[in-house]
């Protein structure tokens, strides 16, 4: 089969690799129908050291089960399924608390399990899914292929935007600021509107991205950069107060400082950008500012598996459509072109089809 591998910063290759096989009774093999490139894939794309044999990449996909192990419950060959961006057993204490990314036995796509078995990356023609019953969500039979982009978004970016909105305590009638106009930030706009926000202010200057944000429910745009400038502009828009809820969807120190500057006293920040700018694993927080203004900070890795049933139902009945975040579709063989397009910001999010 074909799969996407990362060999070094800027070096993405689509190569022939062995077809996946069942390794455990709880595995299934999925034929990928749609996958995509994530903004978080760009971090290793920009900075990875040389990897002599390459490593699999990609963590967002939907597909059809080709083969199911003997311990996969109601899952069966022929089902169309959505996979969260991490796999989980669904039974450990953390999974039972709805924090599947911290599953005691789960992990990420493209990694190696403790058993020594390689887990395929999501950007390939096929993938072995461990712990399938705890991981996969079946798409109802008869669902049209036209919904594929919206369904694919649930595997990460829509669920992550939803997590940011919940973590920032978005409420009906509230004012929301969104830091970052990438796919997650745009889905955060959609999530905030879904939760009843009255005013949604997007920080960004790209006209194409603003058009999607406006379509998703954004009401205002701030194009200046820098925490101090953004804070001043946002207070001017909000009568000197600031935002009730701030969604931090980038992951850099600058973005977090901007989120703090945007929040009103007593407000909340939901951060879902993969943290960068780390020193010894830590990114210093402006604790005194957070303390003085009673700003709540929450967020982290989105528990996609916990959110999927609710969001899937709304996609199926037409109430939720995140598909406009995909503005470029390419064959899997051209994945490297997709990475370049997203890195150069000429595409918001690239959909890949085998």
């Amino acid at each position: 089969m074909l799969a996407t591998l990362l060999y070094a910063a800027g070096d993405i290759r689509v190569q022939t690799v062995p077809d996946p096989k069942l390794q455990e009774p709880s595995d299934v093999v999925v034929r990928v129908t749609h996958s995509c490139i994530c903004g978080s894939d760009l971090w290793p794309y920009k900075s990875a050291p040389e990897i002599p044999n390459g490593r699999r990449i990609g963590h967002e996909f939907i597909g059809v089960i080709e083969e199911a192990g003997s311990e996969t419950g109601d899952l069966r060959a022929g089902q169309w399924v959505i996979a969260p961006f991490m796999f989980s057993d669904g039974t450990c204490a953390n999974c039972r608390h709805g924090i599947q990314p911290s599953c005691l036995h789960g992990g990420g796509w493209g990694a190696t399990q403790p058993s020594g078995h390689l887990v395929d990356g999501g950007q390939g023609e096929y993938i072995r899914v461990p712990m399938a019953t705890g991981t996969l969500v079946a798409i109802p039979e008869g669902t049209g292929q036209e919904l594929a982009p919206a369904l694919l978004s649930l595997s990460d970016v829509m669920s992550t935007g939803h997590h940011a909105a919940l973590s920032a305590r978005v409420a009906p009638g509230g004012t929301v600021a969104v830091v970052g106009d990438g796919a997650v930030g745009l889905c955060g706009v959609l999530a905030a509107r879904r939760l009843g926000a009255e005013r949604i202010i997007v920080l960004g200057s790209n006209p194409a991205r603003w058009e999607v944000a406006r379509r998703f429910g954004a009401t205002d745009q701030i194009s200046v950069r820098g925490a101090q400038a953004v804070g001043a502009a946002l207070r001017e828009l909000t009568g000197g107060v600031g935002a009730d809820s701030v969604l931090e969807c980038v992951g850099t120190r600058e973005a977090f400082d901007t989120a703090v500057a945007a929040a009103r006293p007593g407000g909340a920040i939901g951060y879902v950008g993969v943290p960068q700018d780390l020193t010894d694993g830590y990114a210093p927080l402006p604790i005194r500012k957070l303390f003085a203004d009673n700003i709540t900070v929450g967020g982290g890795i989105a528990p996609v598996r916990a959110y999927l049933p609710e969001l899937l139902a709304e996609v199926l009945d037409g109430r939720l459509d995140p598909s406009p975040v995909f503005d470029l579709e390419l064959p899997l063989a051209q994945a490297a072109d997709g990475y370049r397009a997203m890195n150069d910001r000429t595409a918001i999010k690239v959909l890949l089809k085998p």
Side-chain angles (χ1 to χ4, degrees):
M1 73 169 189
L2 293 178
T4 307
L5 288 86
L6 174 68
Y7 277 84
D11 187 358
I12 287 283
R13 309 177 199 176
V14 178
Q15 297 179 316
T16 300
V17 300
D19 291 344
K21 300 182 183 300
L22 300 177
Q23 303 285 353
E24 303 288 345
S26 56
D27 292 349
V28 302
V29 172
V30 169
R31 174 176 56 82
V32 176
T33 60
H34 303 77
S35 63
C36 56
I37 301 170
C38 183
S40 64
D41 291 330
L42 296 183
W43 294 118
Y45 177 75
K46 293 176 181 178
S47 62
E50 184 176 347
I51 306 169
N53 297 316
R55 73 169 176 86
R56 307 287 183 87
I57 195 167
H59 54 261
E60 300 163 276
F61 65 93
I62 58 177
V64 176
I65 296 175
E66 292 284 294
E67 185 179 7
S70 59
E71 298 176 8
T72 55
D74 294 332
L75 295 175
R76 64 185 186 279
Q79 284 182 310
W80 200 18
V81 290
I82 304 174
F85 62 74
M86 298 183 74
F87 59 88
S88 54
D89 62 18
T91 60
C92 77
N94 293 332
C95 287
R96 293 198 304 272
H97 283 99
I99 309 297
Q100 290 89 347
S102 296
C103 176
L104 298 175
H105 309 107
W109 308 109
T112 300
Q113 291 179 267
S115 63
H117 295 145
L118 172 69
V119 181
D120 306 286
Q123 294 164 18
E125 292 183 301
Y126 293 86
I127 185 167
R128 179 179 69 88
V129 177
M131 307 175 190
T133 55
T135 300
L136 298 175
V137 171
I139 299 166
E141 187 175 350
T143 300
Q145 286 285 312
E146 71 278 2
L147 289 181
L151 297 171
L152 178 59
S153 75
L154 303 185
S155 69
D156 186 344
V157 288
M158 184 61 225
S159 296
T160 297
H162 177 61
H163 187 54
L166 291 180
S167 299
R169 304 190 304 200
V170 173
T175 295
V176 177
V178 180
V179 182
D181 59 359
V184 170
L186 294 172
C187 286
V189 171
L190 188 56
R193 176 60 70 193
R194 176 180 174 272
L195 293 174
E198 182 175 317
R199 193 170 193 183
I200 304 172
I201 303 163
V202 174
L203 311 186
S205 58
N206 184 297
R209 294 168 188 242
W210 165 246
E211 179 56 31
V212 177
R214 188 194 58 76
R215 180 174 174 180
F216 281 175
T219 57
D220 302 90
Q221 182 183 34
I222 291 177
S223 299
V224 299
R225 293 183 64 102
Q228 185 173 358
V230 168
L234 200 139
R235 286 190 294 275
E236 184 176 349
L237 281 176
T238 57
V241 179
D244 303 310
S245 304
V246 184
L247 281 54
E248 191 283 294
C249 304
V250 180
T252 62
R253 173 72 180 275
E254 178 186 4
F256 196 90
D257 288 345
T258 299
V260 173
R264 67 164 173 81
I269 297 169
Y271 73 100
V272 295
V274 179
Q276 307 299 314
D277 305 341
L278 302 181
T279 301
D280 295 329
Y282 292 90
L285 298 179
I287 295 296
R288 188 171 295 278
K289 170 69 172 173
L290 298 174
F291 179 82
D293 283 349
N294 282 280
I295 296 172
T296 297
V297 176
I301 305 174
V304 174
R305 184 60 182 79
Y307 297 149
L308 270 174
E310 176 185 357
L311 298 179
L312 173 59
E314 294 194 12
V315 168
L316 294 175
D317 68 15
R319 286 180 290 158
L320 180 65
D321 181 15
S323 64
V325 297
F326 294 105
D327 57 345
L328 179 60
E329 180 179 318
L330 293 172
L332 175 65
Q334 294 178 228
D337 294 333
Y339 274 84
R340 282 190 289 272
M342 286 182 60
N343 188 57
D344 295 342
R345 290 179 64 84
T346 58
I348 300 171
K349 191 167 181 66
V350 176
L351 188 150
L352 301 172
K353 292 183 69 173

